[in-house]
Amino acid sequence: MRLVRVGIVGIGNMGSAHASNIYLDKVKGMKLTAVCDIDAERLQWAKETFKGQVECYDNYHCMLKSGKIDAVIIATPHNLHPLIGCEAFDEGGLATLFWTKLLRTRN
């Protein structure tokens, strides 16, 4: 079975937990290949934790366009989920996971 290459935008509390679980093979079928955060200390944590086996980005646009991921987990503040999610969809149809509604309906 081919592994799904996963990138994570935002490696704070939730993002680092997702990243660690995928990296440690606790999630079947996934391989952590990239992480992104604007915080230099979090990126340093990722470089040390993942021992250079995961690409680290400080710009999510670059990560989405890198060709190194098949899917993205968005673990940023909720107000950024729709923006990043829509860009991920547009970037070659990347599978996208986040916990926020994209649209509101009028009923």
Side-chain angles (χ1 to χ4, degrees):
M1 173 176 74
R2 181 178 159 295
L3 295 176
V4 176
R5 301 172 304 156
V6 176
I8 299 178
V9 181
I11 50 172
N13 292 334
M14 290 302 297
S16 62
H18 291 313
S20 295
N21 285 330
I22 295 168
Y23 180 75
L24 296 171
D25 293 325
K26 293 182 178 180
V27 182
K28 300 287 185 212
M30 293 184 171
K31 177 179 181 175
L32 184 67
T33 55
V35 295
C36 176
D37 204 291
I38 59 172
D39 185 296
E41 288 180 18
R42 290 180 183 161
L43 286 178
Q44 187 59 39
W45 168 84
K47 289 174 185 174
E48 292 170 6
T49 301
F50 306 129
K51 301 172 179 54
Q53 298 175 35
V54 173
E55 294 288 326
C56 295
Y57 296 88
D58 61 4
N59 181 312
Y60 77 88
H61 304 283
C62 295
M63 186 183 81
L64 295 177
K65 294 176 190 304
S66 70
K68 296 182 186 268
I69 62 173
D70 304 312
V72 63
I73 296 172
I74 301 170
T76 60
H78 290 165
N79 65 309
L80 298 174
H81 289 185
L83 174 72
I84 299 168
C86 287
E87 187 170 336
F89 289 142
D90 290 341
E91 191 55 51
L94 293 173
T96 306
L97 171 67
F98 51 92
W99 308 112
T100 304
K101 295 177 185 175
L102 275 179
L103 303 173
R104 296 175 89 178
T105 58
R106 295 172 68 187
N107 289 355

